[in-house]
Amino acid sequence: MQQAAWCSTFPSSPMSSYGAARGPLCSVLVNKFGCRPVMMVGGLFASLGMVLASLATSIIHIYICTGVITGLGLALNFQPSLIMLNRYFSEKRPLANGLSAAGSPVALCCLSPLGQVLQYHYGWRGGFLILGGLLLNCCACGALMRPLVGPKKPQDQELPAVGEAERKLKPKKKLLDFSVFKDRGFLIYAIAASIMVLGLFVPPVFVVSYAKEMGNEDTKSALLLTILGFIDIFARPTCGLIAGMKWVRPRCVYLFSFAILFNGITDVISSQATDYPGLVVFCIFFGLSYGMVGALQFEVLMAIVGTKKFSSALGLVLLMEAIAVLVGPPGAGRLLDATHNYMYVFLLAGCEVILASIVICMGNFLCIKKKPDEPEAHLENGAPVEMEKLNSLLEAEGGEHERAQPAGVRGGAAEAK
């Protein structure tokens, strides 16, 4: 039971897979009620699951509480936080994404040792109860997500009656916009992301058991994940800073493709590791590439679909990724059972990730291009800065205005070759 108690600290655990699978539901709730109430309710569910787990009498009870209830709560926290980032930031959005994504490796480094300390001093029941109290802070974070108030247009001030009539005639906002599948850029991204997560989480799942099989102690083997997470902490904001540069941001999809390729090549090379120092080197490079992927994946999605459709697109992508996550690590486990050789597991994961990088790079290069009449000289980061800020404010009010898209990334607004 103690093993299951802290299974939620890993990104491919049942809890995170279930939470990602609720992506479309979360998108519907965000589109209907807004980010702040959804995130506060999510904090309550996340805390409730941990508190109920402290009263568990069986391993099934723990899986239901931490996997279903807490997983649902964390899903209701994850998506609104990304959507609000897209609304709060425009020019510095890549850096904001990188900094916010750095919280995941911090948890990877700290939460597992914290769980061991809580289990030693308070038992697993007390540990669950304390973690439930910590998760209540998600409600406080959600309460701080104040909706932005956009500027009023002069014509709206002069002609309030006309503005009211226009609002009445405005079509009702869709709770889940499936029209994103008509966007070539989104389709390419969704397919590549689904292939990527088949192998992305496999090496961290198996690297500790790989080190144990080499004859290393449990503590020494577990240190590998701490090294990976520590490198990841600095890689994400650094990559976000690079992605925000003026000449990089319009081409961030290619930087994302490079990050995926870097991760896949790291997996392939690490399959030849035969000792503990080799695994340490692998964790350093894997943490660097994994951090780059984590910092860029949602920034690229934001750039592809825009503010208006981002909540729906995010939910649909997370659903597709959740299915792939439930296939990837178990499939790698079956391969390990059949071959009894970790080399094939890492090779398979690396080939899947490399294939994803080829799909998104070649798909974007061959199927998408920017409009020839776009005036690049007057653009910063692929879109007028002032217009981008205005669109963020209007979207926060619930308007139907769509953010201008970065050149070379936007799929629906770009013309096919």
Side-chain angles (χ1 to χ4, degrees):
M1 187 171 290
Q2 179 185 345
Q3 294 284 340
W6 313 117
C7 69
S8 61
T9 63
F10 204 72
S12 59
S13 65
M15 181 178 69
S16 48
S17 299
Y18 178 85
R22 315 307 286 178
L25 172 63
C26 185
S27 296
V28 170
L29 294 176
V30 168
N31 289 334
K32 185 173 181 62
F33 300 107
C35 292
R36 182 156 60 172
V38 171
M39 187 167 184
M40 294 178 70
V41 171
L44 291 176
F45 271 102
S47 176
L48 178 64
M50 287 295 184
V51 172
L52 291 178
S54 68
L55 307 174
T57 56
S58 67
I59 190 69
I60 300 299
H61 188 179
I62 289 181
Y63 270 109
I64 292 175
C65 293
T66 62
V68 178
I69 301 178
T70 300
L72 174 61
L74 294 181
L76 296 179
N77 275 266
F78 179 66
Q79 285 182 245
S81 62
L82 287 175
I83 294 169
M84 288 304 293
L85 272 179
N86 191 35
R87 294 177 180 177
Y88 274 127
F89 297 93
S90 56
E91 185 179 358
K92 301 296 184 182
R93 191 180 65 200
L95 178 58
N97 270 309
L99 289 172
S100 63
S104 177
V106 169
L108 182 62
C109 290
C110 302
L111 195 55
S112 182
L114 174 63
Q116 296 299 323
V117 171
L118 293 178
Q119 195 275 336
Y120 178 78
H121 289 284
Y122 304 101
W124 64 269
R125 294 185 185 274
F128 270 130
L129 192 61
I130 294 173
L131 288 178
L134 291 176
L135 286 174
L136 276 177
N137 286 286
C138 295
C139 298
C141 295
L144 295 175
M145 290 186 173
R146 180 177 58 86
L148 299 176
V149 179
K152 293 184 178 180
K153 297 180 179 180
Q155 58 266 33
D156 291 340
Q157 296 176 354
E158 296 173 1
L159 301 173
V162 176
E164 185 66 26
E166 290 179 354
R167 279 190 288 270
K168 290 181 180 179
L169 294 175
K170 187 180 296 183
K172 187 177 180 181
K173 189 175 182 180
K174 297 180 181 179
L175 295 181
L176 191 60
D177 192 353
F178 289 97
S179 66
V180 293
F181 285 107
K182 298 178 181 179
D183 188 322
R184 290 185 181 182
F186 174 77
L187 283 176
I188 294 170
Y189 178 91
I191 294 172
S194 300
I195 298 173
M196 176 186 70
V197 298
L198 284 173
L200 185 65
F201 299 135
V202 169
V205 169
F206 290 96
V207 68
V208 174
S209 57
Y210 191 10
K212 290 180 180 179
E213 188 180 76
M214 292 180 178
N216 297 288
E217 299 176 355
D218 291 354
T219 304
K220 189 176 180 181
S221 300
L223 181 62
L224 293 171
L225 284 183
T226 303
I227 295 173
L228 190 156
F230 182 77
I231 299 297
D232 194 2
I233 292 173
F234 298 97
R236 297 195 183 209
T238 303
C239 186
L241 184 63
I242 295 173
M245 293 181 178
K246 183 176 181 179
W247 61 276
V248 176
R249 190 173 183 186
R251 302 167 185 85
C252 62
V253 66
Y254 297 110
L255 180 61
F256 181 50
S257 176
F258 169 76
I260 300 174
L261 180 64
F262 184 17
N263 186 272
I265 293 175
T266 301
D267 294 342
V268 171
I269 295 177
S270 69
S271 65
Q272 306 302 316
T274 57
D275 53 13
Y276 187 81
L279 291 181
V280 171
V281 174
F282 158 71
C283 287
I284 292 174
F285 283 96
F286 185 89
L288 179 61
S289 59
Y290 187 80
M292 294 175 65
V293 172
L296 292 172
Q297 58 178 339
F298 298 115
E299 167 62 25
V300 171
L301 181 60
M302 290 176 188
I304 290 174
V305 300
T307 302
K308 179 181 175 181
K309 298 181 179 180
F310 178 67
S311 59
S312 297
L314 178 61
L316 294 171
V317 166
L318 288 178
L319 176 61
M320 297 174 67
E321 289 186 352
I323 297 172
V325 167
L326 291 175
V327 173
R334 295 200 64 175
L335 177 63
L336 179 62
D337 291 339
T339 61
H340 302 285
N341 193 331
Y342 284 90
M343 179 185 71
Y344 298 111
V345 173
F346 282 75
L347 279 175
L348 175 64
C351 291
E352 290 168 343
V353 176
I354 290 174
L355 177 60
S357 71
I358 295 174
V359 169
I360 193 170
C361 181
M362 299 305 297
N364 188 81
F365 182 77
L366 296 176
C367 300
I368 302 170
K369 69 176 182 179
K370 67 179 178 180
K371 292 182 178 180
D373 58 345
E374 288 181 347
E376 292 188 6
H378 300 287
L379 298 179
E380 179 179 356
N381 295 333
V385 176
E386 294 302 325
M387 179 61 69
E388 199 166 341
K389 291 180 180 178
L390 176 61
N391 285 342
S392 269
L393 295 174
L394 291 173
E395 174 62 22
E397 285 187 314
E400 297 296 322
H401 303 278
E402 185 171 1
R403 180 188 301 276
Q405 300 304 312
V409 180
R410 174 79 172 108
E415 296 179 347
K417 283 186 177 181

